[in-house]
Amino acid sequence: QSALTQPASVSGSPGQSITISCTGTSSDVGNYNLVSWYQQHPGKAPKLMIYGVTKRPSGVSDRFSGSKSGNTASLTISGLQAEDEADYYCCSYAGSSTFGVFGGGTKLTVL
Amino acid sequence: QLQLQESGPGLVKPSETLSLACTVSGDSISMSTYCWGWIRQPPGKGLEWIGSIYYSGTTYYNPSLKSRVTISEDTSRNQFSLKLNSVTAADTAVYYCARHLWNGVWAFDIWGQGTMVTVSS
């Protein structure tokens, strides 16, 4: 069982917006602004999409945005495109004993 | 352009030691102020951080694996390595190395392509 809870799957039609949640605790997501999000296509390595809750690395589309409220972080993808279909994982720093934890992943299907 | 490449045996017997190396090109791990990490992904499952090594040689490990893991660096080869001992079938996974942004960030921004390791007799 993963430390962070994500929905197993979400779906949306091209052009729509979807949001993927990532629920942790006051020991990880709720206590640090150190949440990152990764996109993983089948057979490929993960790609960093969001770090520091809201920051986008250079080259990542501004259709991807991150936010946090309490113990839950969220990834929003606007203007869904077929190429966005992938697995998405959240990750959070969890203090100097545990260090880092991942979510179980969410499969995004673009209908 | 920074690139990472994992290498090592694809098959390891139960109870033996899994050994992998990550070769870094495009940056010197000894001159860099970055952290370098290992992450794994069992077939069909999610990601798990294994541990990381700082440029200073300081290591940090996932508490659940700490008793079996050693991460080290070989600056002459611009590599860092993973050793996981007493492996079982549960250690079967794709193993990734990655650049680990630690201070004030805690994210993995550059990944290797991954290498599949199967634990089986």
Side-chain angles (χ1 to χ4, degrees):
Chain A
Q1 188 171 355
S2 301
L4 305 180
T5 301
Q6 298 181 234
S9 63
V10 298
S11 63
S13 300
Q16 288 185 332
S17 295
I18 63 94
T19 296
I20 299 172
S21 61
C22 169
T23 302
T25 70
S26 57
S27 297
D28 39 62
V29 174
N31 199 34
Y32 304 97
N33 289 324
L34 297 176
V35 176
S36 52
W37 289 90
Y38 303 85
Q39 176 192 66
Q40 186 180 36
H41 288 109
K44 300 296 187 182
K47 174 186 177 183
L48 178 64
M49 305 302 284
I50 296 286
Y51 67 96
V53 178
T54 62
K55 301 178 179 66
R56 275 189 313 274
S58 174
V60 171
S61 172
D62 60 5
R63 296 186 299 105
F64 292 82
S65 63
S67 62
K68 190 184 86 167
S69 178
N71 296 337
T72 298
S74 299
L75 173 71
T76 298
I77 309 174
S78 59
L80 266 182
Q81 299 179 0
E83 66 206 50
D84 300 332
E85 186 163 292
D87 294 326
Y88 291 85
Y89 294 90
C90 62
C91 180
S92 176
Y93 182 69
S96 58
S97 296
T98 305
F99 298 112
V101 290
F102 280 94
T106 298
K107 181 175 181 59
L108 169 62
T109 301
V110 180
L111 302 171
Chain B
Q1 181 182 357
L2 183 69
Q3 291 185 314
L4 289 79
Q5 177 70 58
E6 305 88 351
S7 59
L11 182 64
V12 181
K13 290 183 168 54
S15 80
E16 296 190 345
T17 297
L18 179 159
S19 295
L20 296 174
C22 180
T23 301
V24 179
S25 58
D27 192 10
S28 168
I29 63 171
S30 62
M31 300 297 290
S32 170
T33 57
Y34 290 108
C35 206
W36 307 92
W38 289 96
I39 304 99
R40 71 180 182 177
Q41 184 173 34
K45 296 187 178 181
L47 301 167
E48 179 180 35
W49 173 68
I50 299 170
S52 299
I53 185 166
Y54 232 124
Y55 67 96
S56 60
T58 304
T59 51
Y60 303 90
Y61 299 128
N62 185 324
S64 68
L65 298 169
K66 185 175 182 178
S67 63
R68 299 194 292 131
V69 173
T70 302
I71 295 175
S72 60
E73 57 184 6
D74 183 344
T75 55
S76 65
R77 297 186 178 189
N78 215 38
Q79 290 179 341
F80 60 103
S81 300
L82 169 70
K83 291 188 185 300
L84 180 66
N85 59 36
S86 304
V87 297
T88 69
D91 296 310
T92 293
V94 175
Y95 285 76
Y96 296 98
C97 61
R99 187 171 73 175
H100 187 175
L101 307 178
W102 188 287
N103 286 336
V105 180
W106 225 94
F108 305 92
D109 67 334
I110 309 293
W111 295 64
Q113 65 184 26
T115 187
M116 180 69 199
V117 178
T118 301
V119 178
S120 175
S121 55

